[in-house]
Amino acid sequence: MFKPGITAKLFLAILASSVLVAVAMGLASRLTFNRGFLGYLNDQGVERMDALLPVLAATWQQQGGWHCFKDNPRQWFRLLRPGGPDRISGTDADCERADDRERPPSPPPAAATAAARPPAPPESDLTGVNLRLALLDEQRGFIAGNPQIGTRVGEGALLRPVQVDGRTVGWVALVPFQNVSTAAAQRFAEQQLWASWVIGGLTVALAAAVAMLLARRFIAPLTRIARGTHALAAGQYDTRIEAGSSDELGQLAEDFNRLALALQRNEGLRRAFIADVSHELRTPLAVLRGELEALEDGVRAVTPASIRSLQAETATLGKLVDDLYELSLADVGALRYRMAALDAADLLRETVQPWRERYAARALALDLALPDAPLQVIADEGRLGQLFGNLLENSLRYTDAGGRLRISATVADAVLLLRFDDSAPGVADAALPQLFDRFFRVESSRNRATGGAGLGLAISLKIAEAHGGNLQAAASPLGGLRVELRLPLAAAGR
């Protein structure tokens, strides 16, 4: 069974809409034309009636009645012919005898004939309005004209009074047009109808051509997006689509490209994560395996030193597993926090104290520049202390011996800003945004030879975000790395 595609559906929808509009416009034009044309014809008849009234009043006044038209009905139709009103002057000659009218006149000269030729008949003479006029007496009795009009006075006929000195001496009656009846008018109406159908057909043909062009133009971006989606579903994350426009379809193409870029990046992170996890787990396991095999073969004696070595590798392996577990909990929002008001300055002093001995062992100076006033924040004491410890450990691992770490605090706009500035080596500007990515390590002095698995800063960022703050990295004025922690201060009275 044939199933039309979206191009065909759009084409048919646009074409059907155009056809319906063309048909509706044709019917409306036909209806309004008929009504307007009939109204025009009736207006011509009314104008004809109004032009007769003064002539008929003058004729009645001068003749003393309507005997001119009663004795000679043809005089009425003579009056209705082109120039007729000009021939009724109100004298006895106006009601000339029939034999005088029927006697053939002597032929006038050619020049006189040309000069006396009557003008072209008015439009009302071509529409049959004269046959719809009749003259009635003051009691509305028929005098001259169409005798059927006298019987239709009460059926919608229009009446105009003929008045002489304020007295109604007769009536002029007109039966309005209900439809087009004369041959000329019918031919004109048929020509208009034929022209309407021709115009309608051309409109539909033009609409079909425009619908085809529009359907192809509108569907082309969707076709590209559909192909790109199939490629993306097949794992081709490098697929990109040209936007081509700035409308909604162009915006959709840009969104697709951003989605493809995010999927490509996530796929790269996933692969790197798997490789890093396997590598980080393999290293302590390999050391443990070697140590145990050496103990088993008797190559190495079971001594307190060998046991401490095994415990150190086990601790490294346990910390890595714990960090991965905490990251997984943070990713799904399941890391537990017990928020309470606390003094961040006091917590930082307590956290730094146990690290001073380790810093001194590596000849590193540890300076605190904290205000005496309390720095109240709403935080989880354990998690915030873990964040401080990760930052202290990061500086301890990567700062050259003889260097220093300076921790300072400032308050501005209800935000606490803590800066951890250490000395050389520094970090390249291009690597600063990636410092908080999991398993990321700078390929310089800050490498795995002295560093850990690369999860500490990633966990610290999650903790900071959970407290409504953030972490940023920048170059330190001491020549190393600056890590800035921003936390919102607790509201007054809490």
Side-chain angles (χ1 to χ4, degrees), residues 353-435:
Q353 193 61 35
W355 288 84
R356 291 190 180 276
E357 184 177 350
R358 297 179 59 184
Y359 269 73
R362 293 201 56 199
L364 296 175
L366 183 53
D367 301 332
L368 283 178
L370 302 177
D372 296 331
L375 304 175
Q376 292 292 328
V377 296
I378 304 299
D380 183 307
E381 183 176 357
R383 295 298 179 187
L384 191 57
Q386 180 183 2
L387 188 156
F388 293 156
N390 288 341
L391 298 182
L392 290 167
E393 182 176 3
N394 184 73
S395 294
L396 178 64
R397 286 180 180 272
Y398 300 118
T399 304
D400 291 341
R404 65 189 306 153
L405 170 65
R406 183 177 64 196
I407 303 175
S408 60
T410 57
V411 175
D413 298 329
V415 174
L416 169 62
L417 174 60
L418 294 175
R419 290 191 177 96
F420 291 73
D421 290 299
D422 59 26
S423 55
V427 178
D429 293 340
L432 290 175
Q434 305 177 56
L435 284 179

Side-chain angles (χ1 to χ4, degrees), residues 157-182:
L158 300 177
L159 295 176
R160 290 289 189 274
V162 180
Q163 295 183 339
V164 175
D165 298 330
R167 173 192 169 191
T168 300
V169 298
W171 301 84
V172 178
L174 170 67
V175 176
F177 286 94
Q178 302 297 328
N179 53 49
V180 178
S181 57
T182 63

Side-chain angles (χ1 to χ4, degrees), residues 9-29:
K9 290 179 181 179
L10 184 59
F11 167 75
L12 293 176
I14 298 176
L15 180 60
S17 301
S18 302
V19 170
L20 290 176
V21 171
V23 172
M25 291 182 62
L27 294 176
S29 299

Side-chain angles (χ1 to χ4, degrees), residues 25-41 180 185-193 196:
M25 291 182 62
L27 294 176
S29 299
R30 178 63 177 170
L31 181 61
T32 55
F33 169 77
N34 287 339
R35 291 183 177 179
F37 188 46
L38 291 176
Y40 166 76
L41 296 180
V180 178
Q186 287 180 350
R187 284 195 300 271
F188 178 72
E190 290 174 356
Q191 290 175 357
Q192 293 299 315
L193 178 61
S196 298

